Structure formats: structure tokens, C-alpha cells
Amino acid sequence: MTLDLDPIRARLAAATPGPWERMPAEVSDTRPADCYDVWGGDDWLCASVHHTNADLIAHAPADLAALVAEVERLRETVQRVREMHQPRPYADDDLRAVAPSLPEFVCDHCRGKSDSAVPYPCPTLRALDGAE
């Protein structure tokens, strides 16, 4: 499953601009002392929530923006790694008929200077794909 970041970005853009903060709610018969309101600038966003939930709500926009940025950074890193680990023909059908254990393709990046035959997909790509 690939996480679609566009709807998350859209919800962040549509939300009340931050920073958001939690402030103690006025204590009353219906509001215990550990309740907080959440404000975004001059906008009252959420009323009378437990302090741990108020913390989560108040930090959500900044936390989500940071998580989206980190997912984008990781996706770019994975793409660069994939671009480095490309297949290169190693053994054609005639050679593999004589030596069937030879791989048809090897990883061009993993072969290194020794020209060792690391079958494609290499362990790096298998790890990125979640394979054992």
C-alpha cells in the first residue's frame, strides 16, 4: 500500500493556520480541571478535551507536516537507491544452458570492482521491496 500524501497536504492547507495551542478550559460543573481548549490563533478549535488529547490536537498540524516531509524525503532516497541498482545482462541463454546456475541479470551497482555476479534483484532491492 502506498500512502497518498495529497489528501493529507490538502487537509493541512485547509486547516486553520498555526501554531495551535492548548489552554486550560474554565472549570465548571461540566468541565473538570484537567480539560483544555485548543486554539489556532484567534480561532477556538476544540473545547473541553482531556489534556493528553489537547496536546495531540494542538501538535497535529506541525507533526503531520513533519511526517509528510519525512515520507517525501524517504521516498526520494529510495528512488535514488533504485536508480543505482539497475540490472545488467550477465549470462545469455546459450551460456545458461551450459551453466544453469548463472543468473541472467546481475545488479550493476553491487558487482563492484571485482565484477562479482550479484543476481538481480539484489539484496538491497529485495530489502526495499520487503522480501526476505
Side-chain angles (χ1 to χ4, degrees):
M1 178 185 98
T2 301
L3 178 63
D4 186 359
L5 298 177
D6 289 336
I8 298 170
R9 281 191 211 97
R11 288 189 291 270
L12 280 169
T16 300
W20 291 7
E21 58 186 326
R22 69 181 188 129
M23 302 178 123
E26 290 183 23
V27 178
S28 70
D29 293 340
T30 59
R31 292 179 168 183
D34 64 350
C35 279
Y36 285 76
D37 296 337
V38 178
W39 292 80
D42 292 334
D43 293 331
W44 186 30
L45 304 175
C46 189
S48 298
V49 294
H50 189 268
H51 68 92
T52 56
N53 294 332
D55 254 359
L56 177 65
I57 294 166
H59 288 92
D63 292 350
L64 285 169
L67 287 170
V68 166
E70 180 66 4
V71 168
E72 289 170 337
R73 186 190 71 77
L74 291 171
R75 285 180 177 176
E76 290 168 3
T77 299
V78 167
Q79 184 57 37
R80 284 193 306 276
V81 169
R82 286 187 185 285
E83 289 168 2
M84 290 168 50
H85 293 263
Q86 294 296 309
R88 177 175 60 93
Y90 185 72
D92 62 18
D93 289 340
D94 292 336
L95 182 56
R96 288 178 59 227
V98 177
S101 65
L102 291 176
E104 183 177 1
F105 294 97
V106 294
C107 178
D108 196 42
H109 182 78
C110 290
R111 71 181 169 87
K113 293 183 170 126
S114 66
D115 201 33
S116 60
V118 177
Y120 187 87
C122 64
T124 302
L125 291 180
R126 289 196 311 271
L128 289 176
D129 293 335
E132 299 285 322

